[in-house]
Amino acid sequence: MLRLLRLLLLLLLLPPPGSPEPPGLARLSPGAPPQAPDLLYADGLRAYAAGAWAPAVALLREALRSQAALGRARRDCGARCAAEPGAALPAVLLDAPDSGPGPAQGAWERLLLRAALRRAECLTQCGVQRLGPGGAARLRVGSALRDAFRRREPYNYLQRAYYQLKKLDLAAAAAHTFFVANPTHLQMREDMAKYRRMSRVRPQSFRDLETPPYWAAYDDGLELLGRQEAGLALPRLEEALQESLAQVESCRAGCEGPEEQQREEEEEEGTGGQGGLYETIAGHWIRVLQCRQRCVGDAATRPGRSFPVPDFLPSQLRRLHEAHAQVGNLSQAMENVLSVLLFYPEDEAAKKALNQYQAQLGEPRPGLGPREDIRQFILRSLGEKRQLYYAMEHLGTSFKDPDSWTPAAVIPEALREKLREDQEKRPWDHEPPQPKPLTHWKDVLLLEGVTLTQDARQLNGSERAVLDGLLTPAECGLLLQLAKDAAEAGARSGYRGRRSPHTPHERFEGLTVLKAAQLARAGAVGSQGAKLLLEVSERVRTLTQAYFSPERPLHLSFTHLVCRSAIEGEQEQRMDLSHPVHADNCVLDPDTGECWREPPAYTYRDYSGLLYLNDDFHGGDLFFTEPNALTVTAQVRPRCGRLVAFSSGGENPHGVWAVTRGRRCALALWHTWAPEHREQEWTEAKELLKEPEEEEEEEEEEEEMPSRDPSPEPPSRRLQRVQDRVGKPPRVREEL
């Protein structure tokens, strides 16, 4: 009954048909306290599965609003209660436990517990005022739902629902928002391409509705600095720094949320329950401190990226002091360079700049010092690090310091040697592995039975190689037959030729390892070819690792059997490419020669490979260029069993000449150092092919919409049943 009333209420809140939609996902019920996000999300998925698009939009938007309101309330209440008289923790308790004599015996307990009780009372009352009866406890959210919101899964459902409601601009915005945080989601990548081809979707609709605003200010500031417009860059850079610090504070407030949010990390952090009152208090406090220390890294990590921007706060301060100096604001320049020196006291460039500013200012300025916000940030962070290292030394907990600027004096001497040894065990965390001499590669290649045809020097670049002999003619024929059989089975598999996303003059077919395994299980293709596809991809991975990264494991991140066919009658006077010049893990800007490692590029890719299956076609050669995307530096002709392998970054821009006759087939593979981006479908395909007798009645595979209908596919037509209280929400199936 409660859900029915909620659904009716939200339906009343929907605008009437034909009314303009507010820009973005606006708040639906102003002034109303947020409702339970997990129930709203579950009800939204049920409405979506039933094809009730308008209720689905209302419920999903309200779930997003409630989740955001819950976070804001916790942050605001935390800040308000920290400022309440008598609620602050005693200063003597905020330093390391061995920092000196404290209050009389037993007095510290009274001080601590009194402050904790007053803070708890304040937080409880504030939660009730902001969130309604029951406060934050009523809206406690499980880890599965937090992960779903972190991955922005509601926007995947929203984009389809908006499309059905003919609200294409909002559908594009929701799709873009999901894609920014999930750049590996190939179905959404195709959906985005379809939206861009729709004449009714405006370019400005492709906006991110979730990314914190400081990233826009940060990027604008960097761009203006690059154009030597320091005066215009300064307010944007200052805004970026202030908003970055505010984001860190918001994250820190979240670290003080319900203890269940921390329990999932107990085993990983080594801070699980240890028994008595004081052990439990210490364990929870350590988890809060560990969470707080990760907040700068979280704020420095762009959506969809695996790693933070290095030295995020110090680098902003460096740009600020340089920009202030360029416009003549020497006092502010000194303030910011002194702040840099708080992080790195021995930074030679900062010390040189400081001496220069002091000389230009002339007379000493006694009151001039580092920024107060940065000074307070560092003092607080160092105090927390001392406590964490103390717990690490005396309680056996673990702590991986995320900051490179932590002074050695903060780390207990007994721990320094151990930490140094741990760092030496994984040297690639800081430096890429050094290339081995060519004799080593020859030994490896002889063992693999392949030959090195061209190395990086012969290809006029770096980290490039052409290797022959990876496939026999019979194996090439088997994989070509697999591609042909899969294409003929396209009516029920979703695999069928369509116009290439890169050129209208070619037809494109792509087959993943999982789709091949599914077709083999269904009897549509031969299992021998599907198994060979798996075996060959692992063969390429092993060789690529041996050649480029022998000291560091490489993982397959995606495997794709791709065929491009020239469309007869459309090749005369053709001027375009089969695949335009690009880099595989960054967005190439030919005008500046820069390659930005950020979405929509697949930023986690480290090495790429193309294993060719045939050469009976015209055109289709791979070529490498300079960063300007114009000057060709090397060209490779496909042939059966030839592998072109190279690093995926901006050092290897590449493209494919037009296929003007015939059909060109190749196995495209991408590899990553990051195990979290390992290709899960490869493992699923292996299991599927290993046990073909375990047949289950499958629902009909979701098919792509006809090419004449450019609408995106729904995230899934087979949603799992959602429990009343979400345990683990259904994930959107990635249809490739």
Side-chain angles (χ1 to χ4, degrees), residues 455-456 459-465 548 624-625 633-634 645-646 651-652:
D455 60 16
L459 290 168
N460 303 313
S462 64
E463 293 205 278
R464 304 173 183 172
F548 290 109
F624 293 97
T625 74
T633 59
F646 48 92
E651 66 278 2
N652 281 319

Side-chain angles (χ1 to χ4, degrees), residues 264-271 398:
E264 301 149 14
E265 302 164 4
E266 287 180 0
E267 292 184 6
E268 178 183 345
E269 303 289 356
T271 58
S398 62

Side-chain angles (χ1 to χ4, degrees), residues 46 49 100 398 458 674:
R46 287 193 185 90
S398 62
Q458 294 166 312

Side-chain angles (χ1 to χ4, degrees), residues 196-272:
R196 291 187 187 280
R197 292 196 294 268
M198 295 180 186
S199 59
R200 289 178 293 166
V201 177
R202 298 169 297 173
Q204 58 267 35
S205 298
F206 296 93
R207 62 193 188 280
D208 187 354
L209 304 170
E210 285 282 338
T211 295
Y214 63 85
W215 282 116
Y218 179 78
D219 292 336
D220 289 348
L222 294 187
E223 182 180 353
L224 290 166
L225 270 185
R227 299 206 303 255
Q228 304 300 315
E229 298 180 21
L232 297 175
L234 272 172
R236 298 297 281 161
L237 291 172
E238 185 63 38
E239 178 186 351
L241 179 60
Q242 293 298 326
E243 291 297 326
S244 299
L245 292 172
Q247 182 70 18
V248 171
E249 292 304 311
S250 178
C251 172
R252 288 172 61 87
C255 293
E256 298 177 10
E259 186 176 5
E260 67 175 86
Q261 292 186 220
Q262 315 295 335
R263 285 178 186 158
E264 301 149 14
E265 302 164 4
E266 287 180 0
E267 292 184 6
E268 178 183 345
E269 303 289 356
T271 58

Side-chain angles (χ1 to χ4, degrees), residues 21 25 87 90 211 232 258 305 322 336 493 521 587 595 643 716:
E21 188 78 19
L25 303 180
T211 295
L232 297 175
R305 296 285 297 273
E322 292 167 359
N336 284 283
S493 73
R521 284 286 299 272
V587 179
C595 204
L643 172 67
S716 175

